[in-house]
Amino acid sequence: MDHIDWNRLKTGEVNLGTSIMAVQFDGGVVIGADSRTTTGSYIANRVTDKLTHVHDRIYCCRSGSAADTQAVADIVHQGLQMYSQTAGEAPSVHHAASLFQRVCYENKDALSAGIIVAGWDKEVGPSVYNIPLGGGLFRQPWAIGGSGSTYVYGYCDATYKEGWGRDETVTFVKNTLALAMARDGSSGGVIRMCVITEDNVERLFVPGDELPKFWEGREVLGATALKNRAADKGVVPMAVEA
Amino acid sequence: MASVFSSPGFNFSNELRNNFISDKGLHLPKATSTGTTIVGCLFKDGIVLGADTRATEGPIVADKNCEKIHYITNNIRCCGAGTAADTEFTTALISSNMELHALSTGRPARVVTAMTMLKQMLFRYQGHVGAALVLGGVDATGPHLFTIHPHGSTDKLPYVTMGSGSLAAMAVFESGWRANMERDEALSLVKAAISAGIFNDLGSGSNIDACIITASSTEMLRNVEMPNARVQKERTYVFRRGTTAWKSESVRDLIVDETVTQVLSTGAGEAMDTT
């Protein structure tokens, strides 16, 4: 039987395309995302907020189908509100991630959702959980997701170091997302980040024209290039005898 | 004998019959689609919503002047694009539920409530309810503008466009929108956006409807601009009497026998009780 791609978006469904990531550091976590939502090749929302609040110190990054991830996040948000009322205390990040996992795994054939859950709780401190398409749960010190993440695995593996402080982690997230947005067509717009610590949640915003710049490329072939080359080598046209 | 067991879920038994009839050559009528350009825009005092008025059935214009700005509550309106029946019934259902919600909570309803009701219903139907909506209104927390896609995803933005003419309208918004516009500026921008859709998109046309919602009032401007009014024909096409020759004529009275009786009135307003 031919392989059926269950996780493909249905026609007309709004796609979060996306580059998302979350990184843990000593005092908390930094989460970040791009801001592009597409319907086919049209950008339905160029300033999307993909960092969704599910509890005071627990946020999730959404990638995949916009409708599916919004619905799942709403369900978990309600579940955590109920938990904090009945248990009388803030839920742990692990608990939030388990709720996400339960919904994503049990409805895996109907959903197209890749979620990263990150936050701070008093038992464990900061933590990051990656829940990719099939509904598995993976705790990691840093996690990347979305279509743009494929382009930056190498950069992240080469750059990440343990023991960073808040500012170094924010720079890491910003640079990674900028690189992913530069190469992935489904990612772009602005960079939105959240720094979640015991004391508060701080939102950071990097507008599209202030993204970190890397190799911008230079035209190799073309009239200007040829002209420069000729001048460099001091080539003089041959004299033609009259 | 009637069965006491009613199975949950939908009854698809008509599908067999429909497929059989379809195979014989009689196809189901195509759902009327609103094609459409609908827009919403935030300005200093509230929200301006705009829509064109063409409803299409495939390539044919089914309604030249339909209303696409639906009532949700006094200060909340919803423009609908997609399948006309779906937008009509979905907005009517949520409007009804919003009224009940307001009575139950004792508070005027909020735009986010309507948005949540709409998105949860559309998500439940997994995109089969073809309603793409622009929801806007002003409530106790201020003015809000949302866009809701058929699969149930929502976006909260200061200016939005939906429908087949959305790209044309968005081009106008992207070049013209500024924060804190005055009412007249916002209305002209919305009219320009809808015009872009009407003249550049085949699925949109006819007239422009607008609705201005502020904290104190909601003003529905039906047919605020009619840029496609039928022009006076250049010549008269009436055929002169005698154009068609006839060979014989026969006139017959349809009323064979008739007697007219006066009905006497017995008193003022006695005939029918119409209180």
Side-chain angles (χ1 to χ4, degrees):
Chain A
M1 187 163 100
D2 289 332
H3 171 72
I4 301 166
D5 187 1
W6 298 107
N7 294 307
R8 238 198 43 190
L9 258 47
K10 307 176 219 15
T11 32
E13 222 184 340
V14 178
N15 182 13
L16 281 178
T18 303
S19 306
I20 48 173
M21 73 186 289
V23 186
Q24 176 185 323
F25 67 97
D26 267 337
V29 294
V30 179
I31 58 172
D34 74 305
S35 69
R36 182 170 290 185
T37 318
T38 50
T39 334
S41 58
Y42 178 64
I43 299 173
N45 187 351
R46 57 182 171 86
V47 287
T48 325
D49 183 6
K50 303 181 189 181
L51 307 174
T52 305
H53 163 109
V54 289
H55 200 77
D56 290 347
R57 296 287 182 273
I58 310 174
Y59 273 63
C60 74
C61 310
R62 301 179 291 114
S63 73
S65 152
D68 289 349
T69 54
Q70 281 180 11
V72 171
D74 284 344
I75 291 169
V76 173
H77 183 229
Q78 192 256 10
L80 291 175
Q81 281 181 319
M82 197 56 93
Y83 175 86
S84 27
Q85 284 298 110
T86 55
E89 58 170 18
S92 62
V93 184
H94 178 80
H95 181 69
S98 301
L99 289 180
F100 269 108
Q101 187 203 15
R102 175 185 303 214
V103 178
C104 291
Y105 179 75
E106 289 177 8
N107 297 291
K108 62 158 79 189
D109 46 351
L111 290 174
S112 174
I115 294 174
I116 300 178
V117 186
W120 186 95
D121 58 51
K122 66 179 189 318
E123 291 97 20
V124 154
S127 45
V128 171
Y129 291 85
N130 195 358
I131 305 165
L133 248 37
L137 180 66
F138 305 97
R139 181 168 177 203
Q140 301 165 254
W142 57 273
I144 55 177
S147 55
S149 65
T150 53
Y151 304 101
V152 290
Y153 273 106
Y155 175 76
C156 290
D157 285 339
T159 317
Y160 176 74
K161 287 190 180 35
E162 284 178 41
W164 274 342
R166 177 202 180 280
D167 293 334
E168 287 151 312
T169 314
V170 168
T171 311
F172 174 54
V173 170
K174 200 190 323 178
N175 287 340
T176 311
L177 288 174
L179 285 164
M181 285 153 73
R183 283 292 182 179
D184 179 30
S186 308
S187 305
V190 305
I191 295 181
R192 293 192 191 273
M193 290 185 280
C194 275
V195 183
I196 306 169
T197 55
E198 176 180 3
D199 303 317
N200 65 356
V201 174
E202 190 191 342
R203 270 197 175 264
L204 302 168
F205 177 79
V206 182
D209 53 357
E210 287 172 30
L211 295 175
K213 292 195 198 323
F214 297 91
W215 180 73
E216 303 274 89
R218 188 174 55 86
E219 202 181 307
V220 178
L221 295 170
T224 5
L226 279 171
K227 201 170 80 180
N228 287 339
R229 261 183 42 227
D232 285 344
K233 295 206 171 150
V235 172
V236 174
M238 233 166 68
V240 177
E241 279 169 15
Chain B
M1 184 158 122
S3 165
V4 292
F5 173 70
S6 51
S7 53
F10 294 115
N11 179 358
F12 289 104
S13 55
N14 276 339
E15 284 296 306
L16 279 169
R17 178 206 72 173
N18 290 348
N19 287 335
F20 173 79
I21 296 175
S22 209
D23 290 340
K24 292 287 176 191
L26 185 70
H27 298 284
L28 281 170
K30 249 183 291 220
T32 315
S33 164
T34 49
T36 302
T37 309
I38 50 173
V39 305
C41 150
L42 182 71
F43 74 106
K44 197 175 80 179
D45 306 320
I47 304 276
V48 182
L49 298 174
D52 74 303
T53 62
R54 174 180 287 183
T56 52
E57 212 169 275
I60 299 166
V61 175
D63 189 345
K64 287 185 273 191
N65 204 189
C66 75
E67 266 197 66
K68 300 187 190 181
I69 304 183
H70 306 285
Y71 173 92
I72 302 282
T73 69
N74 249 359
N75 333 24
I76 305 172
R77 295 284 190 279
C78 186
C79 306
T83 309
D86 287 344
T87 59
E88 196 69 53
F89 279 95
T90 304
T91 49
L93 177 67
I94 265 67
S95 170
S96 168
N97 287 345
M98 286 286 278
E99 177 71 15
L100 293 170
H101 189 267
L103 289 165
S104 162
T105 56
R107 295 174 170 82
R110 297 186 182 185
V111 189
V112 283
T113 313
M115 181 207 76
T116 308
M117 288 181 182
L118 285 163
K119 74 138 80 179
Q120 287 179 350
M121 185 201 136
L122 291 173
F123 183 75
R124 208 170 355 118
Y125 285 96
Q126 286 289 288
H128 291 290
V129 174
L133 310 164
V134 167
L135 175 74
V138 182
D139 58 35
T141 52
H144 300 284
L145 185 60
F146 296 99
T147 172
I148 306 164
H149 292 258
H151 285 266
S153 59
T154 57
D155 290 301
K156 184 177 201 303
L157 291 160
Y159 54 95
V160 295
T161 66
M162 294 283 263
S164 53
S166 64
L167 268 68
M170 186 51 93
V172 172
F173 270 163
E174 285 286 28
S175 46
W177 189 88
R178 289 171 306 110
N180 291 326
M181 279 189 291
E182 294 298 331
R183 182 210 136 99
D184 295 329
E185 266 186 277
L187 184 58
S188 340
L189 185 65
V190 164
K191 281 198 251 176
I194 300 291
S195 299
I198 286 173
F199 294 114
N200 299 98
D201 173 43
L202 296 178
S204 312
S206 296
N207 316 122
I208 303 178
D209 286 350
C211 185
I212 305 179
I213 309 174
T214 59
S216 48
S217 68
T218 305
E219 212 180 319
M220 183 65 198
L221 303 167
R222 171 81 170 137
N223 289 353
V224 64
E225 224 168 74
M226 303 181 72
N228 289 302
R230 170 176 271 187
V231 294
Q232 195 187 44
K233 292 201 182 93
E234 283 169 39
R235 46 167 294 205
T236 163
Y237 293 90
V238 173
F239 290 102
R240 140 194 87 73
R241 277 207 122 181
T243 308
T244 308
W246 66 91
K247 296 182 75 175
S248 65
E249 186 178 329
S250 142
V251 177
R252 203 183 58 195
D253 210 354
L254 288 172
I255 299 166
V256 176
D257 190 5
E258 161 186 82
T259 42
V260 178
T261 323
Q262 270 281 29
V263 177
L264 296 157
S265 60
T266 47
E270 292 273 32
M272 255 201 296
D273 190 313
T274 51
T275 45

